[in-house]
Amino acid sequence: MKTMLVTGGTVFVSRYVVEYYVAQGYDVYVLNRNTRSQVAGVHLIQCDRNAIGNRLKHLRFDVVVDVTAYHPQDIINLVEALDGWGDYIMISSSAVYPEYGTQPFLEEDKVAENSFWGKYGLDKLYAEKALLERVPDAYILRPPYLYGPMNNVYREAFVFECALKERPFYLPGDGSMKLQFFHVKDLCRFIDCILEHRPDTHIFNVGNRETFSVKDWVEICYSVAGKRPQYVHIYDDVEQRNYFSFYNYEYYLDVEKMYRLLPATMPLYEGLQEAYAWYIGNSDKVQRKPLISYIDEFLERT
């Protein structure tokens, strides 16, 4: 039985990773503060990742999946606390690419501050650097927008909520802005590919090859909820994130290196069906933002 350490393990990506690998028969350890419910069958290492102390001494992991490294110090503290490991995989972000770069972004392209993502993207960039300085053979995965069951971020959940309340949907402009997604199960499947093949490439953009306009994405979200959207188009100079789930920022990752190892990914419609099924039973777990109240107060007259 292989052993795996997952940082986090209680929310969205990290929780999905834990459930996936418990089901695969791994002996899974999670490192978190134990402030939320744990996945059944895991070994809990209860601590803040920045105050690990000697809790990892005398433990060796076949795989470390670092989902919660948001700052270089997160990497430094964990690597220094580990006694030994086989493969180290960090879930980074596409936010490390500056918005002014040539698209689609390649793994070899310049990384720098992105004005839309700000400190988050810059900290991820420095976390990657800290990891490669200490673990040169680590793998780094850079996803676009992750989605699927357990997603507590107010993205597809926001659209599902609008659909179920039969609200008109307030769409940015003509709805043509493109988005790129990646299902959290495909993220796990690609981790499987890395562990099986141990490729020479160590930094991967991961995501679906195809992109979708925001209008198409909204229509699919409404469709899986059994509804059809009626649109109100917002052309005014209104900050998009006040009423919509995404920044007014269109970007696209080149994911061809990933597709050489994982040639098929989940279709968006099927993935959103899974997300909707989870949402119906777990809407209380979503971290809502005041998008609907903003629409009702400021945009309803538009």
Side-chain angles (χ1 to χ4, degrees), residues 5 55 58 79 88 122 173 177 182 216 297:
L5 173 66
R55 290 176 177 83
H58 311 301
V79 171
Y88 195 119
L122 201 57
M177 187 182 84
F182 198 43
D216 289 341
E297 185 173 356

Side-chain angles (χ1 to χ4, degrees), residues 35-48:
T35 59
R36 295 182 174 91
S37 66
Q38 305 293 330
V39 174
V42 301
H43 305 282
L44 171 64
I45 302 168
Q46 183 176 341
C47 63
D48 188 298

Side-chain angles (χ1 to χ4, degrees), residues 151-222:
N151 188 2
N152 64 325
V153 183
Y154 203 41
R155 290 177 181 155
E156 59 261 29
F158 165 58
V159 188
F160 296 152
E161 187 172 343
C162 291
L164 292 174
K165 291 181 176 180
E166 298 187 339
R167 295 176 57 89
F169 196 86
Y170 285 70
L171 194 68
D174 63 0
S176 62
M177 187 182 84
K178 299 289 187 181
L179 298 172
Q180 188 176 23
F181 295 100
F182 198 43
H183 194 282
V184 66
K185 184 175 183 179
D186 285 334
L187 179 70
C188 294
R189 292 176 60 230
F190 188 64
I191 292 172
D192 289 342
C193 292
I194 288 175
L195 297 177
E196 179 181 356
H197 299 289
R198 290 184 171 79
D200 293 333
T201 299
H202 283 263
I203 298 178
F204 286 91
N205 293 335
V206 295
N208 291 354
R209 183 182 278 135
E210 64 274 23
T211 60
F212 288 83
S213 72
V214 294
K215 185 177 181 181
D216 289 341
W217 174 73
V218 169
E219 289 184 354
I220 296 173
C221 288
Y222 268 71

Side-chain angles (χ1 to χ4, degrees), residues 4 6-7 11-18 20-21 24 63 65-68 70 89-94 120 124 139-149 181-196 204-208 253 255 258-259 261-262 264-266 274:
M4 174 180 284
V6 180
T7 59
V11 176
F12 189 27
V13 177
S14 63
R15 188 178 188 93
Y16 194 101
V17 169
V18 168
Y20 180 91
Y21 282 102
Q24 294 281 90
V63 189
V65 181
D66 196 350
V67 184
T68 64
Y70 298 107
I89 300 171
M90 174 192 172
I91 310 302
S92 184
S93 170
S94 56
Y120 168 77
K124 277 288 192 181
Y139 290 97
I140 293 172
L141 309 186
R142 296 172 176 166
Y145 294 112
L146 289 163
Y147 79 106
F181 295 100
F182 198 43
H183 194 282
V184 66
K185 184 175 183 179
D186 285 334
L187 179 70
C188 294
R189 292 176 60 230
F190 188 64
I191 292 172
D192 289 342
C193 292
I194 288 175
L195 297 177
E196 179 181 356
F204 286 91
N205 293 335
V206 295
N208 291 354
L253 302 176
V255 291
M258 182 205 79
Y259 267 82
L261 296 173
L262 184 69
T265 56
M266 188 176 298
E274 290 191 0

Side-chain angles (χ1 to χ4, degrees), residues 22 25 40 50 71 85 87 112 134 141 161 187 199 212 230 236 263 271 284 290 299:
V22 167
N50 292 315
H71 186 275
W85 65 89
D87 294 293
R134 290 160 178 79
L141 309 186
E161 187 172 343
L187 179 70
F212 288 83
Q230 299 294 320
D236 296 339
D284 59 313
L299 298 182

Side-chain angles (χ1 to χ4, degrees), residues 15 37 148-152 157 160-161 164 224-225 272-286 288:
R15 188 178 188 93
S37 66
M150 305 184 200
N151 188 2
N152 64 325
F160 296 152
E161 187 172 343
L164 292 174
V224 300
L272 285 172
Q273 283 182 309
E274 290 191 0
Y276 179 70
W278 177 85
Y279 170 79
I280 288 300
N282 298 276
S283 63
D284 59 313
K285 297 182 176 66
V286 174
R288 285 174 169 78

